[in-house]
Amino acid sequence: MTERTLTIIKPDSVENNNVGAIIAHLEREGFRIVAARQMRLTEAQARAFYEVHRERPFYNDLVAYMTSGPVWPMCLERENAVAYLREVMGATNPADAAEGTIRALHGTSIERNAIHGSDSPENAAKEIAFFFPAAELL
Ligand code: CMP
């Protein structure tokens, strides 16, 4: 089934000029870009986006990191997009990510792990709506 998911190209990838390589990787894997933009998250936006992690010890660092530079949220479409993006992205910690995955190729730590990907279709719908009004999903 064709499905949509949300990725965020994180500040480390922007800083290291890996945006183009990551987009090319995603397109090569059959994802269509439905919406994309470059932006800098405000602290309030980052706190709200990562609300589910607010009790975790890494929450404040995560918010500080995600607001430290520009990011690229993108809505992606593909067959089985949510699960497939998680496969292409690799494990959260780049040290554990399978060879050839985006996090293995471009991530440098559990925090600076190159990209985010929605973890379920329900969260994907919420995360897409967080960044993009329906009229921008093309
Ligand atoms: P992401 O997929 O964006 O979702 C939550 C993020 O928290 C995760 O990627 C990691 O980059 C970040 N994070 C930082 N420290 C940890 C940790 N110890 N365990 C899990 N996630 C962490």
Side-chain angles (χ1 to χ4, degrees), residues 10 50 53 56 58 62 86 89 92 103 110-113 115-117:
K10 295 190 177 187
Y50 282 117
H53 296 306
R56 306 276 208 108
F58 58 81
L62 175 61
R86 294 185 71 76
M89 186 166 76
T92 306
R103 283 170 166 167
I110 196 161
E111 183 167 82
R112 296 171 68 85
N113 65 351
I115 69 169
H116 166 83

Side-chain angles (χ1 to χ4, degrees), residues 12-13 16-23 25 28 89 94 100-109 112-115:
D12 55 304
S13 300
N16 296 328
N17 289 338
N18 288 329
V19 174
I22 290 171
I23 291 175
H25 192 134
R28 206 160 54 234
M89 186 166 76
T101 59
I102 292 175
R103 283 170 166 167
L105 288 167
H106 303 295
T108 50
S109 72
R112 296 171 68 85
N113 65 351
I115 69 169

Side-chain angles (χ1 to χ4, degrees), residues 43-97:
E43 186 179 332
Q45 283 174 315
R47 286 193 177 282
F49 184 80
Y50 282 117
E51 177 74 18
V52 290
H53 296 306
R54 74 183 178 284
E55 304 298 339
R56 306 276 208 108
F58 58 81
Y59 179 65
N60 285 334
D61 286 346
L62 175 61
V63 168
Y65 173 60
M66 290 300 287
T67 56
S68 69
V71 296
W72 285 61
M74 301 198 291
C75 174
L76 302 174
E77 187 173 80
R78 188 193 186 283
E79 193 77 10
N80 199 23
V82 173
Y84 195 72
L85 176 62
R86 294 185 71 76
E87 211 177 299
V88 166
M89 186 166 76
T92 306
N93 189 342
D96 303 328

